[in-house]
């Protein structure tokens, strides 16, 4: 599946920048495909960390979460990329493409969860 970033590029990159900006309250962004297309779009974002983003995943959609993990003892922020495909998703038998591998937008994350 080829990912189309052109249509929603500004909102995709703005959400990513909000997550990596340490002065921003936003610490996660959730991306999905627009209905029946390969156009990636911002689904939602927030400031409640990993507990909040995990409640936001939709069992009927392929989704990608990008989250900052704030650890006061760490010198640098940590980021994770989550590839979400539920068994209820039409393409559940096909693993989602890694956004890092296919589009290279999400740089600097330490862990990728599938």
């Amino acid at each position: 599946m080829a990912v189309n970033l052109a249509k929603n590029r500004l909102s995709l990159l703005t959400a990513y920048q909000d997550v990596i900006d340490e002065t921003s309250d936003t610490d996660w962004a959730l991306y999905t495909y627009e209905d029946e297309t390969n156009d990636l779009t911002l689904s939602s974002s927030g400031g409640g960390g990993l507990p909040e983003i995990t409640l936001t995943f939709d069992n009927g959609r392929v989704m990608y979460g990008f989250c900052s993990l704030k650890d006061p003892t760490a010198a640098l922020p940590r980021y994770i990329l989550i590839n979400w495909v539920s068994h209820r998703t039409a393409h559940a038998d096909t693993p989602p493409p890694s956004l890092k591998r296919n589009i290279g937008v999400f740089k600097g994350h330490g862990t990728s969860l599938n």
Side-chain angles (χ1 to χ4, degrees):
M1 171 188 327
V3 179
N4 179 12
L5 299 173
K7 183 175 179 185
N8 301 305
R9 186 169 184 78
L10 183 59
S11 66
L12 298 175
L13 292 175
T14 299
Y16 170 78
Q17 289 296 330
D18 285 346
V19 172
I20 65 171
D21 180 355
E22 294 183 40
T23 63
S24 171
D25 290 334
T26 301
D27 60 8
W28 63 266
L30 191 59
Y31 304 88
T32 192
Y33 296 100
E34 290 183 357
D35 296 326
E36 308 300 321
T37 72
N38 291 341
D39 300 333
L40 198 65
T41 188
L42 178 66
S43 175
S44 58
S45 62
L50 195 56
E52 184 177 51
I53 194 174
T54 58
L55 297 173
T56 313
F57 287 104
D58 182 338
N59 284 333
R61 303 184 70 92
V62 173
M63 303 185 94
Y64 306 97
F66 184 67
C67 187
S68 170
L69 301 177
K70 296 188 172 51
D71 180 357
T73 63
L76 296 171
R78 298 178 182 174
Y79 303 99
I80 61 170
L81 179 64
I82 303 166
N83 297 317
W84 175 265
V85 179
S86 167
H87 65 281
R88 296 183 193 166
T89 305
H91 303 289
D93 57 341
T94 306
S98 166
L99 287 183
K100 181 181 179 189
R101 182 180 67 238
N102 287 329
I103 60 177
V105 169
F106 300 101
K107 300 174 185 172
H109 69 279
T111 305
S112 182
L113 304 173
N114 295 310

